[in-house]
Amino acid sequence: MSTITPAAHTEPERRKPILNTVDRVCEICFGLFMALTFVGAVKAVSVGGDAGTKMFHAALGCNLAWGLADAVMYLVRTLVDRGQRLKLALTARQETDRAVAVRTLRDALPETLDSLVEDDELERIRARLSATSTLPPRANFVRDDFVGAVGIFLLVVLGTFPVALPFLLIDDHRAALVCSRVLTLAMLFIAGCALGRYTGAGAMKAGIAMTALGVLLTMAIIAVGG
């Protein structure tokens, strides 16, 4: 009879993606919306033969600035979230009153899960936290945090770079603006499809909804002179 325990068959832990599908698609959508609004604003004040070049630089500069700001905010959100989770774990572990510790864990649950989790399950979590001696004293960054920040920056810049290209390739800046907006709506449709497929809401419905949002935003920009 084999003496190998079930634990010996445990598969290696899979590496968790640094950015999930929602993160990746949403970052691209944010960049597209930013480029759409910024280019519209610059178009309203750009005149002369170099208007197309100005709008290209404006769109590219907008993407670079937004990508940098979003990457920094990603690091801030990551550290804050990690600190909040660590504070919760330390509080539950150090609390001498088990009932208080369980209530602390319950207060941290999302409303949708609160009714599904029993106190006995939370007590087991509290017990495991109490037995853990590897919790760090404070939240710190890890290498993957910076990899994720760089990934967000590249997603915003490279994902929306096609929106800026028409201003460099097409001499007629009005035609370039139309082409840029069409490209933006097409990319928003693709992004919406990806989100719809991921959430199960329906790729086409989500794609159309995201495109409609882009159309409404474009109409608002045109209405104010963009």
Side-chain angles (χ1 to χ4, degrees):
M1 180 179 296
S2 174
T3 58
I4 298 178
T5 62
H9 294 287
T10 302
E11 295 181 0
E13 182 180 353
R14 294 185 178 180
R15 183 182 180 87
K16 183 179 178 181
I18 297 174
L19 297 176
N20 61 34
T21 301
V22 176
D23 290 333
R24 294 194 297 267
V25 175
C26 286
E27 292 302 337
I28 292 176
C29 288
F30 294 154
L32 289 171
F33 284 130
M34 284 294 295
L36 190 64
T37 55
F38 200 80
V39 168
V42 173
K43 181 259 182 183
V45 298
S46 295
V47 294
D50 61 344
T53 302
K54 289 181 179 178
M55 283 191 281
F56 170 78
H57 289 153
L60 183 59
C62 170
N63 293 344
L64 289 170
W66 179 255
L68 180 60
D70 215 16
V72 171
M73 288 309 301
Y74 167 80
L75 291 174
V76 172
R77 291 195 308 270
T78 298
L79 192 62
V80 170
D81 289 345
R82 186 171 296 147
Q84 191 275 335
R85 293 194 299 270
L86 177 61
K87 179 182 177 181
L88 175 64
L90 290 173
T91 300
R93 188 179 71 172
Q94 296 169 359
E95 178 60 56
T96 56
D97 189 328
R98 294 185 178 183
V100 174
V102 168
R103 188 163 59 250
T104 300
L105 292 174
R106 181 168 295 282
D107 290 341
L109 289 174
E111 291 185 6
T112 53
L113 295 179
D114 186 42
S115 61
L116 302 177
V117 181
E118 301 292 339
D119 284 350
D120 290 344
E121 296 173 285
L122 293 175
E123 168 57 24
R124 287 195 292 271
I125 294 175
R126 186 209 63 80
R128 287 196 293 271
L129 287 172
S130 297
T132 300
S133 59
T134 57
L135 291 177
R138 61 181 180 275
N140 294 303
F141 287 118
V142 297
R143 184 185 65 87
D144 282 353
D145 297 334
F146 298 102
V147 173
V150 172
I152 285 177
F153 176 79
L154 293 177
L155 277 174
V156 173
V157 176
L158 298 180
T160 57
F161 185 72
V163 176
L165 276 180
F167 301 111
L168 192 64
L169 302 178
I170 301 176
D171 293 333
D172 186 342
H173 72 275
R174 293 183 182 273
L177 181 60
V178 172
C179 182
S180 175
R181 284 172 172 169
V182 170
L183 279 173
T184 301
L185 295 178
M187 294 178 70
L188 285 173
F189 176 78
I190 295 172
C193 287
L195 286 178
R197 189 178 299 110
Y198 180 79
T199 60
M204 288 298 295
K205 288 182 180 180
I208 293 172
M210 189 67 75
T211 305
L213 183 60
V215 170
L216 291 175
L217 183 58
T218 302
M219 291 173 62
I221 294 169
I222 295 174
V224 297

